[in-house]
DNA sequence: GCGACAG
DNA sequence: ATCTTGTCGC
């Protein structure tokens, strides 16, 4: 698909593409989830309601957005050390935290999804990133998907 | 009006 | 996201 046409107009609609599959997967879990760490944004969104918000409200669970890149907002560069952070603002509002999860790696964009505040969200992300840039749950999911994609070929 | 734009 | 080449570090 051309990167310019449909992709451009569908920006900010990640929820509508991925939420159905994610919800189906959550229903298959043997154990009940306590919180959801999303590979995408929460409040740091064009309409203030990203994937993490959708999933949190629908599942009535704590949810946080932990995106690999910026969608909206402005910020300064956080310090170079793990744990360093800087606020993300959009339209005069604090919508997230740009957090360095490892020394000298690109920071992640943390934002509130549902039933959790920004400080707690950042803390949880840090607790899940003792070893890699992205939260362990996200890494495990990515690894599983690429493994399945490989075996499907 | 044009470009930017989570994964 | 997906693909691909090249480099870096444990």
């Amino acid at each position: 698909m051309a990167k310019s046409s449909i992709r451009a107009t569908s920006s900010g609609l990640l929820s509508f593409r991925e939420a159905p599959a994610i919800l189906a997967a959550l229903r298959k879990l043997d154990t009940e989830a306590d919180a959801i760490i999303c590979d995408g944004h929460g409040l740091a969104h064009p309409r203030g309601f990203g994937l993490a918000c959708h999933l949190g409200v629908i599942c009535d669970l704590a949810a946080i957005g932990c995106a690999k890149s910026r969608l909206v907002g402005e910020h300064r560069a956080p310090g170079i050390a793990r744990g360093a952070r800087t606020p993300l603002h959009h339209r005069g509002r604090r919508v997230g935290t740009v957090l360095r999860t490892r020394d000298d790696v690109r920071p992640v964009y943390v934002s509130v999804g549902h039933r959790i505040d920004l400080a707690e969200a950042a803390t949880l992300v840090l607790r899940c990133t003792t070893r890699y840039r992205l939260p362990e749950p996200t890494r495990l999911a990515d690894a599983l998907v690429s493994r399945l994609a490989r075996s499907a070929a």
Side-chain angles (χ1 to χ4, degrees):
Chain A
M1 186 74 70
K3 189 172 189 175
S4 51
S5 57
I6 295 181
R7 288 289 294 283
T9 57
S10 62
S11 173
L13 301 181
L14 181 67
S15 302
F16 296 85
R17 280 179 272 139
E18 305 203 342
I22 294 172
L23 292 171
L26 283 172
R27 268 180 251 119
K28 286 186 174 181
L29 262 78
D30 297 320
T31 57
E32 212 168 297
D34 298 309
I36 306 174
I37 298 180
C38 299
D39 192 357
H41 295 281
L43 297 181
H45 180 272
R47 287 165 293 286
F49 209 80
L51 177 63
C53 300
H54 284 264
L55 295 177
V57 169
I58 292 173
C59 300
D60 192 26
L61 283 172
I64 77 179
C66 182
K68 297 186 288 296
S69 65
R70 184 193 67 85
L71 178 57
V72 297
E74 310 79 44
H75 67 86
R76 293 176 328 199
I80 204 65
R82 163 177 159 82
R85 67 199 68 188
T86 187
L88 175 67
H89 288 99
H90 183 52
R91 296 174 180 171
R93 283 283 198 170
R94 170 95 188 253
V95 296
T97 293
V98 184
L99 177 68
R100 194 87 64 179
T101 55
R102 299 290 297 161
D103 291 358
D104 207 14
V105 298
R106 279 187 302 145
V108 296
Y109 295 75
V110 178
S111 61
V112 167
H114 192 57
R115 293 199 165 191
I116 189 169
D117 63 43
L118 197 49
E120 280 185 85
T123 296
L124 183 53
V125 168
L126 273 181
R127 283 203 298 173
C128 294
T129 52
T130 345
R131 200 169 162 67
Y132 299 97
R133 178 171 87 109
L134 299 180
E136 204 57 27
T138 302
R139 290 192 69 260
L140 290 171
D142 281 345
L144 178 58
V145 169
S146 59
R147 196 158 60 77
L148 291 175
R150 188 175 303 279
S151 63

